[in-house]
Structure formats: structure tokens, C-alpha cells
Amino acid sequence: FQLFEMQQVFSSPYTLYLVFALSSDDNSEFWLSTDESPHNLQLLAWVGKTGREWTAPGEFEKYASQTSKPVRLSSQRRYFFEVIHKQNDKGTDHVEVAVSRYYMQISSPVFNDLRFHPTDESGLLMNDVAHIPQTVASHQQPPVRQNTATADMLREDPRDTLYHVPFINNKLLQGVLPDCSYKPSYIIKDFPLLRYQGLQFVHMSYIYPNDYTRLTHMETENSCYYFDSPHYMKFSKQLQMQRSRKMNLTQIQRLQDSKLQPSEREDRKPEKSTVGKQQRLVGREVELAATKSFTTSRRDANIPLGRLNQKEINRRKSLRDKEIERNMPLQLEGENRIGGDKIIETDVHSEDGRRGDDERDPFWGEDRDLEGDEEDTTPAPVFDTEVNWSQTFQVNHMDLQLQRSDWIDLRCNISGNLLLHPSDAQPMVKAFMDKLNQKHRGRFTLVRVVNVVKRVDGIQGSRYLLELQLKDVDGKLLRLSHYIYALIRHSRQRSKGFGFQRQQPQLVLCNPVGFRWNPIATVHFIVPVKNQARWVQQLITDMELLFRETGDSNFNLIITDYNSTDMDVRRALHKSSLPRYQYVKLSGNFERSAGLQAGVDLITDDHSIVFLCDLHIHFPLSIVDTIRKHCVEGYMAFAPIVMRLDCGATPLDAKGFWEVNGFGLLGIYKSDLEAVGGMNTREFKDRWGGEDWELLDRIFQAGLEVERIYLRNFFHHFHSKRGMWNRRVSSDHR
């Protein structure tokens, strides 16, 4: 690793709140002083701390620690800052500092480059360090960082505790927006589907602000998150070139020039090079470098000790010259033009027209000559590139989210939720708040935008879930979690010049009639089990904790037990502090579909929510509230994406991957589940796996939609399959 420091003093144009952001490859830290003194530095932002973290140029939202909290700066002061950058021997080293003005409540930073010019130290020796301020950033033990979580997803987020905030009176929301019918274009009711074809109609929703469900701590250098991104493609190739130590075009040019005699270089006309020709040239030269090594070949090892002939000596000298050329540093930009005239496509042939690889060694001929000079075995010199300390580069803010679509990405299981751009979320929040205060004469103040969920529909109009923290005139903190509809309305307008009509779409905010979630609906967790005593006890313990922390008694744990012999499940439920539970004992072999349906049959309230569940699940405390607000009776089911933990991992370190292809964890109103036919116990009687996809087909055919998001702190424990389902224990100890 190499460590670099950059220290500067800058002044603020006027008094305001600023947010700083940092981007680098690899680790970096941004320190800002409260004034122009280096002794008052404070750590504001950083990229990683282990050496494995890095970002693309201009990528400021990968890690939560990259963005600082708002800092108040005055135009009457100058401020000292320091940037520390650590770079390993891989990748393209870069570091950028960006700044954004902070607006209260609803703003998300839109970063611009903070321009600074490093001090010219080219005239100093390496030990001339007296002019560098000795600061707390680099010469003392830095303070303990606020974020001790191994994953950004584990950081505190207002979403996780929103259930504590009391709801705004629902009557106050009536008449804020005009009513409209909710008819999204992606509904496929009665559409004939092939088996498991419903997977193609599942689309992800967009989230604002960043919930950090992207598993950055699980990414490698060749992360699937950057796969096929046009904005990142050039940078990705650049990284690959440097990590594999391939030759660049300038080095290849030197090799090509070295194959021609001086007179040939002057007489030969330059060819016009194209991008395709250059790529062929790169591939051919890399292949040549791999097949014709600059070291002694295996064929030469069989030559008897003695003096080599003159042709062999000349060949070795030529290879040695090429090795020296290869170790030469890169030249200035003038020699590194992609379309330069010096790049010439050539090939290696022998004098008689055959390829050089087929040329026979003259040593084995009758006319071999052992006279000649001794071979020079001195190691070829290696050159280091001269550092240009004043070099800077322009980097724009890279928004990789723009390259993602709302289709399920089966290639990447660490990417996390799609992020909604601030320019989309903020106007919706502002428009709704204006309407709310217009009706209630400025009674409410926006405190925080907790969560915005958007389901995109470019034809009829997109649906939004707004989750806001408000404060009324009495200072009471209130919660608003409300669905609105951005309806696309087409109005006709007559053209004056040509006399024909054309459509001009208009966006109208309205209240989708009937599309409303029930904040007090009972949620039934149905879990079929067999001989999993310790996991069953852990499930009961987790549910007890959920009840104690939330105080929400409107949930019910239903366990369908296939005659477990390793514990008394009914007794464990009776001894627990759960507010509600139900138990049914089943016989025969374990069948997931039949076990889930047996639990559904116990529910008497058709207007309550069924959550089809597995045993080895760790729930966030907000799980009941989350299931409620993403299930709408007659309209929508909820299929959250769970994170599968690796072997040995716990919810405290969150190492694993997202289960992007599974729909076994599903929330749906009982009335809707019965309308689609319930669980398929006939086809999935002696097997499991695929019953969730089959149910998904019928949900879509019934005219329902499925909400699909990555859910924070929602984990599937790694577990052994010993004793599960219908597995038998062998008494053979061989």
C-alpha cells in the first residue's frame, strides 16, 4: 500500500450548510477543520478502512460513510482540510472530494467537484517534510468512527423505528387530493400463463432515500454490480488492463518500431488505424508476448554448451532490446494517442513467408557456426514512470442506478434496492405537502422524508408510497404513510398552423380509490415444522422479542407440526409470552404446501393477512408494520427478498447474498389467497420447491400485483439439513 496526503485551505462563498462526499480507489479519509488551523481537524467522510473497499470515479453513494453530515460554514472564515488516500498495487488510483449545498428536510445531495490544486513539491527532496502540518488526521490515533457495523445495511435508519411514531388522523387526509381510479397497465388478469411464467411479470420498486441494501461489503474487484454498465465500462477495462499488467498501446508501438530498421521506419508510409485494427493489434501483441517469451526458450535448453552461432546471438539481442523497451516508462500524451499514425498492424513471418514460430533452428543444420560473441546475461534495466505531481482530472458524478432496470436481476445477488432519484421523489413530497397545508392552513411541518417507494408505470402513471415524519402546530410528532397516484392524463390540443389535434400528457396527483392499506390488520405467520427443536424455540423467542419491543399484539404465530419427536411444540408455545398463537398437529411426511394450507384453514378473519413463512428466519422489528403497508386487499401481495447468511455468519455481520429468485416468503390477504385457490397441495404433495412460483402465476392471473423489494435486516440463517423434513437418521456408524 501507498499512502498519500493532500492539505489545502479554502473559503466558503457565503454562510450555508454544506455536505461533503468522498470517492476513491482504494481507501481515503476527508478531514475538515473548524477554521484554518490544522489542529482542529474532524473526520467527516471516508471510504473503507480494511483496504478492500473502493469506488468508481465519481461514485459517491456506494458506502454510507462517503457522505458527511451537514456542516455549517461561514463566508467570514477560511477552512483547512486534509485528504488521506491509500492505494494498493491494483486498479486505477483516484480520489475526489465533492460538495453539495444542504437543504433542510427533503434534499438529497447533488454533488459537484470541489476544485483544489496540490502544492508543487517537484523541487523538494523526499525528506523535506517540514512544511507539512502535523495533524491529528495522519500522525495521531484517529478517533473511533461512529459506524462500527460491518455492513452499511446494519446502520441505524429511520425506517427501522418508524412504527413507534403515532399515525396522523386518517380523516385529515381525506380531500387533500382528488380521487381517481387505480388501473395500472401492468395488470395481466386472465392472461394465459405458462408454468412459472409469472416470474417474467415481477418488477422491482424504487426506493428513496438510500437504504444501503446493496451489499458493498460482499463485493469483489470484479463486482457484478458494475457488469455491462456503459458509464463504468471504460473504467472497468482500465482497471483490468492495469491489474493484469498488459501492455498499452504506447508500449506496443515501441515493440512494433523495434522490428523495423531505421531506414524502413522512414520509408514506410503510415497506415490509417481504426478502432477494430487497434483491438486486433493489442490482442496479437499480447498473444505474441505470451508465446514468445523474453526469457530463454525451452528449445534453447537442449543446446549443448558452447558458442552460439551469430544468428542466434542476434535473435537473443533483439529479444533483450524488446525487454528493455517493455520496461520503459510510458511517454507523454503525444505518444499515447488512440488514433495516432504510429500504430502499424504487422505480423511475424520468416524470410520464406512462413510464420516465425515454424522456423527451424539453424543450429541443427549441417552449416552451423559456433563462432560469435558471448551472450549478455546482465538483467535488463527496469524503469519507473516519472510522477507528475500537478496532474489532476475531471470526474463527473457517476450515477450507476441509471443503468439498472426494474426487472429481477438474476445475475447479481448483492445489488440491493433500486434507488429513486431525488429529482423524482422530492417534487412528489413537496407537491403533497403543499396540498396538505393548503387544506389545513399550514398546520403541518415536514420534519423528515423517511421513505418513498415508487412502482413505475409509464403508461397509466406511477404509484408512490410516501412515508413522512410531520410536526403539527402543537409540536407533536406524527407519522404519514400514504399511497398516492401520479396519473398520466392525456388532453387534446388543436394546433393552430395545421389544424390537427395532438396529445399532451399531464401529471395529476390523485388519491387511488380503494388502494389503501390497513394499519391494524392482523398478520398471521404460518410456519410448518418437523423435528427442528432448537430452531422452533429460536422462532418463538424472536417473536416474543418482537412483541416486547413493538407492543404490537395484532400478529399471530401459527405452527403446523408434522409430529415432531424432539420437542413438545404445543407446550413451548403455551409457556411463551406471545399474545396470540395457534398450533395444529399433522401426521405423515413433511409437506410444505399442505402444512401452509393447514395454517391458512385455521384463520377465520378473511380480512387479515397471511404471511407464508419458513422456520430459519430472522425478522426485523418492523416486520409486521412492513407487511401491512405492502399488502392491499384486492390489489397487491408482498414478496420481500430475504438475505441468505453464509455459514458462520450472523445478523450482526450480515455476510451472504440476496435470494433474488425465491418467492416462498409471501404476504397476502386471506380473501385474496382463497380467491386464487390457496396452496397447490395436489401437485406438490410429495415434494417442495416450485410451489412458490406456481402460486405466483395464479396471483398474477387473478389480477393482483406483487410488491418486490429488498428488505433490510431480513435474514435466512444458514443451517444444516440434518433431521429436516423427511430425512432419516442412519444407525450405520461405518
Side-chain angles (χ1 to χ4, degrees):
F1 289 92
Q2 290 181 308
L3 189 65
F4 303 94
E5 294 182 55
M6 184 179 300
Q7 299 172 334
Q8 288 282 301
V9 176
F10 75 101
S11 60
S12 175
Y14 35 78
T15 302
L16 74 171
Y17 285 89
L18 294 179
V19 176
F20 293 90
L22 194 63
S23 175
S24 65
D25 182 354
D26 295 285
N27 298 156
S28 61
E29 295 178 349
F30 176 75
W31 295 71
L32 179 65
S33 177
T34 55
D35 50 31
E36 58 183 322
S37 172
H39 302 291
N40 299 321
L41 284 173
Q42 296 177 353
L43 179 62
L44 295 189
W46 62 91
V47 176
K49 54 185 177 180
T50 65
R52 297 189 299 269
E53 302 87 358
W54 59 275
T55 74
E59 185 184 14
F60 297 112
E61 296 91 2
K62 183 174 182 178
Y63 304 103
S65 61
Q66 286 181 258
T67 306
S68 74
K69 294 182 178 180
V71 181
R72 186 176 186 272
L73 301 181
S74 172
S75 60
Q76 306 301 321
R77 289 188 176 184
R78 284 157 44 91
Y79 298 91
F80 178 89
F81 74 88
E82 183 170 355
V83 177
I84 300 179
H85 177 214
K86 183 173 66 174
Q87 160 68 11
N88 64 7
D89 60 344
K90 299 179 180 179
T92 301
D93 57 320
H94 66 89
V95 61
E96 304 92 52
V97 179
V99 63
S100 172
R101 186 172 181 177
Y102 176 74
Y103 298 91
M104 299 295 290
Q105 289 100 21
I106 66 172
S107 177
S108 181
V110 178
F111 295 107
N112 298 308
D113 285 344
L114 177 64
R115 300 297 184 86
F116 49 82
H117 301 280
T119 304
D120 185 7
E121 300 180 346
S122 58
L124 302 177
L125 299 178
M126 291 302 295
N127 63 334
D128 292 336
V129 295
H131 65 289
I132 302 177
Q134 306 300 295
T135 67
V136 66
S138 54
H139 293 282
Q140 293 183 12
Q141 185 68 24
V144 179
R145 295 185 174 95
Q146 297 177 356
N147 177 25
T148 58
T150 57
D152 283 339
M153 185 178 63
L154 303 179
R155 294 164 58 99
E156 294 182 0
D157 191 284
R159 295 177 178 89
D160 303 333
T161 56
L162 184 61
Y163 60 84
H164 283 308
V165 183
F167 284 96
I168 187 174
N169 192 331
N170 191 56
K171 294 181 180 180
L172 299 176
L173 301 180
Q174 297 177 4
V176 173
L177 297 177
D179 291 340
C180 59
S181 60
Y182 180 70
K183 296 180 179 179
S185 63
Y186 45 77
I187 296 299
I188 55 172
K189 185 176 182 179
D190 299 328
F191 185 83
L193 295 177
L194 300 176
R195 175 60 63 93
Y196 303 150
Q197 192 180 2
L199 288 169
Q200 302 177 13
F201 295 92
V202 179
H203 292 266
M204 301 295 302
S205 296
Y206 288 77
I207 304 295
Y208 173 88
N210 195 340
D211 62 349
Y212 295 102
T213 48
R214 175 183 169 188
L215 305 181
T216 54
H217 63 295
M218 299 301 298
E219 292 182 358
T220 61
E221 294 171 352
N222 295 321
S223 169
C224 60
Y225 183 82
Y226 301 101
F227 183 73
D228 281 348
S229 171
H231 285 284
Y232 193 75
M233 190 174 297
K234 183 177 181 181
F235 180 67
S236 179
K237 289 182 177 179
Q238 185 178 4
L239 288 176
Q240 184 178 1
M241 288 285 286
Q242 292 200 10
R243 285 172 182 156
S244 59
R245 299 182 64 86
K246 292 181 180 178
M247 294 178 292
N248 64 16
L249 295 178
T250 304
Q251 293 170 321
I252 293 173
Q253 177 60 47
R254 293 198 191 95
L255 291 180
Q256 293 291 351
D257 290 343
S258 65
K259 295 173 185 176
L260 303 175
Q261 298 298 326
S263 59
E264 294 177 352
R265 294 198 192 112
E266 297 174 359
D267 297 336
R268 185 166 181 173
K269 296 182 180 180
E271 298 180 5
K272 294 183 179 180
S273 61
T274 62
V275 175
K277 184 179 294 183
Q278 294 158 14
Q279 292 177 348
R280 293 195 301 271
L281 175 61
V282 173
R284 184 168 296 170
E285 288 298 332
V286 171
E287 181 181 0
L288 176 63
T291 56
K292 284 182 167 287
S293 176
F294 292 146
T295 58
T296 304
S297 63
R298 181 176 299 177
R299 180 181 56 190
D300 295 337
N302 297 324
I303 299 178
L305 294 178
R307 302 171 70 90
L308 299 177
N309 60 32
Q310 186 62 38
K311 188 172 183 180
E312 178 65 20
I313 292 175
N314 292 338
R315 185 179 71 87
R316 294 198 175 192
K317 284 185 177 181
S318 176
L319 292 179
R320 176 177 171 79
D321 292 340
K322 294 176 183 178
E323 185 174 5
I324 295 176
E325 292 287 346
R326 187 190 181 204
N327 293 331
M328 287 288 290
L330 303 182
Q331 299 298 314
L332 299 178
E333 295 180 357
E335 295 187 38
N336 199 19
R337 296 191 299 266
I338 297 297
D341 294 334
K342 290 186 179 181
I343 300 179
I344 301 172
E345 184 178 15
T346 63
D347 206 339
V348 181
H349 292 270
S350 61
E351 294 179 357
D352 59 356
R354 292 177 297 174
R355 290 187 59 87
D357 290 342
D358 298 331
E359 180 180 333
R360 295 183 58 86
D361 195 327
F363 181 85
W364 300 105
E366 296 180 357
D367 56 343
R368 66 174 182 249
D369 183 11
L370 298 181
E371 299 295 330
D373 299 332
E374 294 290 343
E375 179 185 3
D376 185 4
T377 59
T378 306
V382 179
F383 299 89
D384 290 329
T385 305
E386 182 180 359
V387 178
N388 183 4
W389 294 104
S390 61
Q391 181 180 3
T392 59
F393 55 93
Q394 175 68 31
V395 175
N396 296 323
H397 183 196
M398 180 181 292
D399 190 355
L400 296 171
Q401 290 291 333
L402 296 177
Q403 308 307 314
R404 301 179 64 189
S405 71
D406 57 358
W407 292 88
I408 298 178
D409 188 1
L410 300 180
R411 303 171 304 178
C412 193
N413 55 14
I414 61 172
S415 56
N417 278 317
L418 296 166
L419 298 184
L420 185 63
H421 198 272
S423 62
D424 191 343
Q426 293 172 10
M428 291 297 165
V429 173
K430 185 178 185 304
F432 181 83
M433 287 301 302
D434 290 343
K435 292 290 186 180
L436 180 65
N437 281 320
Q438 181 181 351
K439 180 176 177 60
H440 298 288
R441 299 179 180 179
R443 178 177 175 179
F444 300 101
T445 303
L446 177 63
V447 177
R448 174 184 293 168
V449 179
V450 178
N451 190 36
V452 177
V453 182
K454 178 184 180 181
R455 178 63 166 90
V456 175
D457 184 356
I459 300 176
Q460 294 292 100
S462 300
R463 163 176 51 82
Y464 293 83
L465 171 63
L466 303 183
E467 297 201 271
L468 314 174
Q469 279 189 2
L470 308 178
K471 184 178 291 186
D472 63 10
V473 292
D474 299 327
K476 184 178 180 181
L477 195 64
L478 298 173
R479 168 190 176 184
L480 183 143
S481 296
H482 187 63
Y483 282 103
I484 65 173
Y485 198 27
L487 183 65
I488 300 177
R489 181 169 294 171
H490 298 276
S491 60
R492 295 187 176 274
Q493 180 179 357
R494 181 175 298 276
S495 176
K496 297 180 180 179
F498 300 95
F500 62 85
Q501 293 181 339
R502 58 182 180 180
Q503 292 184 343
Q504 289 187 344
Q506 295 178 346
L507 207 61
V508 179
L509 288 186
C510 58
N511 175 48
V513 176
F515 198 91
R516 181 179 302 173
W517 69 284
N518 184 2
I520 59 173
T522 300
V523 179
H524 302 271
F525 295 86
I526 304 179
V527 185
V529 301
K530 180 175 183 177
N531 288 337
Q532 291 285 288
R534 293 185 178 180
W535 286 109
V536 172
Q537 187 59 56
Q538 184 63 49
L539 172 66
I540 296 174
T541 302
D542 290 344
M543 287 296 180
E544 289 177 316
L545 175 64
L546 189 150
F547 173 60
R548 287 197 307 269
E549 293 295 327
T550 64
D552 191 341
S553 60
N554 285 344
F555 73 90
N556 180 30
L557 176 60
I558 301 177
I559 295 182
T560 58
D561 178 20
Y562 278 91
N563 198 22
S564 294
T565 58
D566 57 353
M567 75 174 295
D568 189 340
V569 178
R570 186 195 301 270
R571 182 181 179 185
L573 287 170
H574 180 71
K575 292 174 60 177
S576 70
S577 60
L578 293 175
R580 295 177 60 182
Y581 68 85
Q582 288 176 281
Y583 172 83
V584 58
K585 190 170 186 177
L586 304 175
S587 59
N589 291 331
F590 179 88
E591 300 174 18
R592 185 174 188 270
S593 293
L596 291 173
Q597 187 60 48
V600 173
D601 294 338
L602 295 178
I603 302 173
T604 58
D605 183 8
D606 290 344
H607 304 293
S608 59
I609 301 174
V610 177
F611 190 74
L612 309 177
C613 194
D614 287 338
L615 176 60
H616 312 90
I617 301 296
H618 171 85
F619 299 98
L621 294 178
S622 58
I623 183 64
V624 177
D625 183 74
T626 301
I627 294 173
R628 286 187 186 127
K629 64 191 176 189
H630 291 292
C631 290
V632 180
E633 189 172 8
Y635 290 91
M636 186 168 71
F638 179 45
I641 301 178
V642 67
M643 180 180 176
R644 285 189 172 270
L645 296 176
D646 289 341
C647 180
T650 70
L652 298 179
D653 54 13
K655 294 181 179 179
F657 60 92
W658 292 108
E659 183 59 78
V660 296
N661 215 16
F663 289 81
L665 305 174
L666 181 75
I668 186 173
Y669 272 86
K670 185 191 177 185
S671 59
D672 294 332
L673 183 59
E674 289 185 341
V676 303
M679 300 300 300
N680 188 344
T681 58
R682 180 175 57 87
E683 293 187 54
F684 296 91
K685 184 175 182 179
D686 299 325
R687 61 189 177 92
W688 51 90
E691 73 279 354
D692 53 342
W693 293 350
E694 190 273 338
L695 176 60
L696 189 67
D697 291 342
R698 290 185 281 123
I699 289 175
F700 280 123
Q701 287 179 310
L704 301 176
E705 57 181 297
V706 177
E707 183 88 298
R708 185 73 163 167
I709 61 173
Y710 297 83
L711 193 57
R712 288 171 48 87
N713 302 314
F714 189 41
F715 303 110
H716 186 286
H717 290 284
F718 183 91
H719 59 88
S720 169
K721 293 181 174 58
R722 178 180 175 82
M724 288 185 59
W725 308 312
N726 304 317
R727 296 166 66 102
R728 299 179 180 180
V729 178
S730 174
S731 58
D732 189 355
H733 299 288
R734 291 181 298 175

